[in-house]
Amino acid sequence: MTLPLIPLPTVRTHHLMRHRLCEAPTGAGKGDDLHDLLQDLTFVQLDSINTVARAHHMILHARRTNYRPKALDAVLAQRRGFEHWTHDASVIDMANFAHWKLKFARDAVTIKARYKNWHRDGFEQKFDTVLKQISDHGACCSSDVGTEEKKGSGGWWDWHPSKTALEYLWRAGKLSVTHRQGFRKFYDLTERVIPEQHLAATFTPEETIAHSCATALDKLAFATSGEIAAFWDLVTPAEAKAWCVAELAAKHLIEVELETALGKPRRAFARPETLEMPLTAPTKRIRILSPFDPALRDRKRTERLFGFHYRIEVFVPEAKRQYGYYVFPILEGDRLIGRIDMKADRARDAMAVRAFWPERGVRMGAGRIKALTRAIERSTRLAGVTDLEFAHDWLR
């Protein structure tokens, strides 16, 4: 049977709509408006690199130019979101907490084995001690536990046993992040952090698998079973495949072929109603995106959608590096038009723009340069610096 062929512009527009990158980035960017955005995105990835601003702040700012970092702190303080892992550390809408109990149970097994390989032995013997310390004295950070233990000399991941125990108990759901100071996590007992209605709610593994697959497809519009599994990193590829097969048989899903920027069509699943959904044309505003933006984090999908190879020049063996490691993709409408290397020099209160590389076929006329400069100015305000400095050869 011939499958429906979805044109590439339609695929891109669905993708950008689901990731809130078609609409104008207006709105309060705080309070209920910010929580609504988090609910719709479902999660935003956390990252410590602060070249311009941390990844989660750049993700939210790309969709709400009024957003400022303290607004997310307020949403988390109101317990509208929680911190845990998807494919990486993330802020997740609190409505998903009960489904994370399956991840807690699975991580309790897999992470224990992984930590035994990554970190030094003895962390399991510290569980009761760490839990009692937090129960008796309240929230703590990693430097508050195991103060008598010898610290490792092997770098960032060479944790002492109590630090490893603290992280394990968080991954296993016994502890939750209650707040941060800077980027340092403070942990408390989960029952003292998570609101009762979410703490008490329970789902069977089958219900969580169905929820995870359905919400993943809702955010991706068109996806393979592997992409559905990878979205949350909560279900296994086999579980996602079985869900797709069952939903296809029940006629809740259809198969389609997608045009790609690489030329070869790709088969995927979709909901039948997706093909009838009205589309919103993307605004032409230029946005500076985090490399960890949920619309871009799947690098292979980004290549198929936009023909944009984020890291290919960096990691080709024996090739000269053309771009810096941490450059920011630039979105204009439904195109990724280039990447920019810039850094907030907070000691000098300035944003230093080092280089912008347009994608092949993108002409940098006066209007586009002006629009890009305005986007850089918006990022400058997000970073909390005042001046804007361009290298003499910044436009490559």
Side-chain angles (χ1 to χ4, degrees):
M1 182 177 66
T2 302
L3 300 179
L5 179 64
I6 313 301
L8 180 57
T10 301
V11 180
R12 282 182 181 171
T13 300
H14 273 287
H15 182 79
L16 294 171
M17 280 179 59
R18 307 295 176 101
H19 288 92
R20 301 293 294 271
L21 289 172
C22 279
E23 65 203 62
T26 56
K30 60 184 177 181
D32 290 343
D33 177 66
L34 183 60
H35 180 232
D36 288 346
L37 181 61
L38 177 60
Q39 284 182 305
D40 203 23
L41 293 176
T42 65
F43 69 89
V44 292
Q45 182 175 336
L46 295 163
D47 190 76
S48 62
I49 295 175
N50 200 18
T51 307
V52 169
R54 292 191 168 106
H56 40 296
H57 300 316
M58 292 191 71
I59 291 166
L60 296 169
H61 183 256
R63 294 155 174 85
R64 292 289 187 273
T65 53
N66 287 325
Y67 169 81
R68 294 297 180 268
K70 288 184 179 179
L72 182 60
D73 294 338
V75 166
L76 291 173
Q78 294 164 356
R79 304 308 182 209
R80 295 181 171 193
F82 68 101
E83 288 192 29
H84 214 265
W85 279 71
T86 55
H87 65 292
D88 210 323
S90 300
V91 172
I92 307 163
D93 179 48
M94 186 63 78
N96 294 289
F97 180 83
H99 290 291
W100 243 247
K101 293 176 183 180
L102 177 62
K103 191 168 183 69
F104 298 154
R106 290 178 171 181
D107 281 0
V109 176
T110 58
I111 296 297
K112 184 178 289 187
R114 192 179 305 164
Y115 279 7
K116 284 181 178 179
N117 292 329
W118 282 2
H119 309 297
R120 288 173 288 161
D121 292 334
F123 71 93
E124 294 170 88
Q125 285 71 49
K126 300 295 182 179
F127 290 167
D128 290 342
T129 302
V130 168
L131 287 170
K132 186 175 187 337
Q133 177 178 338
I134 293 174
S135 178
D136 292 348
H137 302 289
C140 73
C141 65
S142 59
S143 62
D144 296 326
V145 298
T147 55
E148 77 290 351
E149 296 169 17
K150 182 179 178 181
K151 304 299 187 289
S153 57
W156 180 263
W157 291 104
D158 192 2
W159 300 342
H160 59 78
S162 291
K163 158 71 170 173
T164 307
L166 190 69
E167 289 288 322
Y168 173 83
L169 291 166
W170 171 54
R171 295 291 297 272
K174 303 296 183 184
L175 301 176
S176 291
V177 175
T178 179
H179 66 280
R180 286 180 181 256
Q181 290 182 7
F183 205 64
R184 176 175 290 183
K185 299 194 294 284
F186 281 74
Y187 307 83
D188 204 344
L189 300 179
T190 291
E191 57 265 31
R192 297 201 297 221
V193 176
I194 304 300
E196 175 59 30
Q197 68 269 30
H198 299 291
L199 196 65
T202 59
F203 295 96
T204 66
E206 292 75 19
E207 289 171 327
T208 290
I209 291 166
H211 168 84
S212 299
C213 292
T215 53
L217 185 57
D218 287 343
K219 297 313 302 176
L220 296 172
F222 307 101
T224 65
S225 62
E227 289 169 333
I228 288 170
F231 180 84
W232 289 112
D233 195 26
L234 178 57
V235 304
T236 67
E239 288 166 343
K241 185 175 182 179
W243 179 83
C244 290
V245 169
E247 292 293 286
L248 189 65
K251 301 187 184 305
H252 297 154
L253 297 183
I254 59 172
E255 286 189 282
V256 297
E257 283 203 327
L258 311 175
E259 284 189 347
T260 74
L262 304 180
K264 183 179 180 180
R266 181 174 175 83
R267 183 172 290 197
F269 295 102
R271 298 189 186 281
E273 57 268 27
T274 296
L275 304 190
E276 307 301 325
M277 181 179 294
L279 300 180
T280 301
T283 175
K284 292 296 184 181
R285 173 179 286 223
I286 288 180
R287 309 178 203 231
I288 298 172
L289 302 182
S290 165
F292 302 119
D293 192 287
L296 303 179
R297 69 176 182 84
D298 184 334
R299 304 300 190 213
K300 292 182 179 179
R301 186 181 179 92
T302 299
E303 290 179 19
R304 291 193 298 270
L305 282 169
F306 302 102
F308 187 84
H309 306 270
Y310 181 70
R311 289 182 175 175
I312 190 168
E313 289 83 0
V314 176
F315 291 104
V316 171
E318 301 178 359
K320 182 178 180 181
R321 177 177 291 184
Q322 182 175 348
Y323 312 119
Y325 171 70
Y326 203 84
V327 295
F328 302 98
I330 307 295
L331 179 70
E332 180 190 61
D334 68 349
R335 299 175 66 191
L336 288 167
I337 63 168
R339 64 202 83 201
I340 193 165
D341 183 354
M342 62 186 194
K343 182 176 182 179
D345 187 335
R346 293 176 174 84
R348 295 192 305 109
D349 192 28
M351 180 72 74
V353 180
R354 299 164 176 168
F356 170 75
W357 296 270
E359 285 290 277
R360 183 177 299 174
V362 173
R363 297 182 60 186
M364 294 304 294
R368 184 170 272 152
I369 292 173
K370 185 176 181 180
L372 175 59
T373 302
R374 287 174 178 167
I376 297 169
E377 290 169 349
R378 291 191 290 270
S379 291
T380 299
R381 291 191 289 272
L382 174 68
V385 295
T386 304
D387 296 331
L388 179 56
E389 301 173 352
F390 291 88
H392 74 278
D393 61 344
W394 73 280
L395 189 57
R396 302 296 172 87

